[in-house]
């Protein structure tokens, strides 16, 4: 089964990083790429999870809001000339967690199970591991 959403987040971030190193895109080009990316993700979710129309609407809304918020946060870090990659990872994890939780609310048990098997569970485990590592490091400093 296709790895769906969370592998897409990683791809999105890496594509964004590569594009940032190349010639800057105009805001219109950037918006168009974002729209295409989100639509591809919604289509993958719709097909692989057999979403109802109302679920497609919510998935589209969730992904549009959260991916755009992620992009704004990453752009803010870039504009601030932040070079610590951990901050980019934390921002990505924050929005991936929000997508994960929101999808849990709109999927039924069977769809959720498929969603987890498609890579979401593995990505959640990796996020939780990174979060625990950060918290452990923070506690050592205190």
């Amino acid at each position: 089964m296709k790895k769906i959403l969370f592998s897409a987040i990683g791809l999105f971030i890496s594509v964004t990083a590569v594009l940032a190193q190349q010639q800057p895109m105009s805001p219109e080009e950037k918006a168009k790429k974002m729209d295409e990316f989100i639509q591809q993700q919604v289509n993958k979710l719709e097909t692989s999870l057999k979403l109802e129309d109302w679920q497609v609407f919510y998935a589209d809304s969730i992904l549009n809001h959260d991916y755009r918020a992620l992009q704004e946060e990453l752009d803010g870090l870039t504009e601030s000339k932040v070079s610590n990659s951990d901050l980019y990872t934390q921002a990505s994890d924050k929005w991936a967690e929000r997508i994960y939780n929101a999808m849990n609310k709109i999927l039924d048990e069977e769809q959720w199970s498929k969603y987890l098997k498609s890579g979401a569970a593995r990505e959640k485990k990796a996020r939780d591991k990174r979060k625990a590592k950060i918290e452990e490091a923070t506690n050592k400093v205190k």
Side-chain angles (χ1 to χ4, degrees):
M1 175 159 220
K2 294 180 184 177
K3 296 176 184 157
I4 300 180
L5 187 59
F6 294 100
S7 50
I9 290 173
L11 175 64
F12 174 72
I13 292 168
S14 61
V15 167
T16 302
V18 168
L19 292 174
Q21 292 174 357
Q22 295 176 353
Q23 290 181 342
M25 291 176 23
S26 72
E28 295 82 21
E29 290 173 323
K30 202 172 188 179
K32 183 178 177 186
K33 291 273 187 201
M34 176 71 80
D35 290 340
E36 290 171 0
F37 173 77
I38 291 170
Q39 190 58 50
Q40 287 174 346
Q41 298 313 308
V42 171
N43 291 343
K44 285 180 184 178
L45 288 169
E46 181 179 15
T47 326
S48 64
L49 302 177
K50 298 181 176 113
L51 299 180
E52 301 287 331
D53 290 341
W54 68 269
Q55 291 173 310
V56 173
F57 172 79
Y58 278 109
D60 182 66
S61 297
I62 291 163
L63 296 181
N64 263 296
H65 175 269
D66 291 353
Y67 277 137
R68 291 180 196 289
L70 169 62
Q71 185 61 52
E72 285 179 26
E73 192 165 340
L74 295 176
D75 288 347
L77 291 171
T78 302
E79 288 172 15
S80 299
K81 300 187 188 308
V82 172
S83 60
N84 184 346
S85 63
D86 290 341
L87 295 176
Y88 289 89
T89 302
Q90 288 174 6
S92 299
D93 284 352
K94 176 178 84 174
W95 289 103
E97 187 68 21
R98 289 185 183 188
I99 291 169
Y100 177 89
N101 291 330
M103 294 303 290
N104 188 14
K105 293 177 183 177
I106 67 166
L107 299 177
D108 64 30
E109 287 182 37
E110 183 180 331
Q111 291 168 327
W112 182 247
S113 177
K114 283 182 184 178
Y115 181 73
L116 292 175
K117 288 178 185 174
S118 71
R122 183 176 57 251
E123 293 295 327
K124 170 72 170 149
K125 185 177 178 180
R127 277 195 314 277
D128 289 346
K129 188 176 178 179
R130 285 191 295 270
K131 184 177 180 180
K133 187 177 177 181
I134 290 168
E135 288 174 359
E136 182 181 318
T138 304
N139 289 336
K140 285 183 180 179
V141 171
K142 290 181 181 179

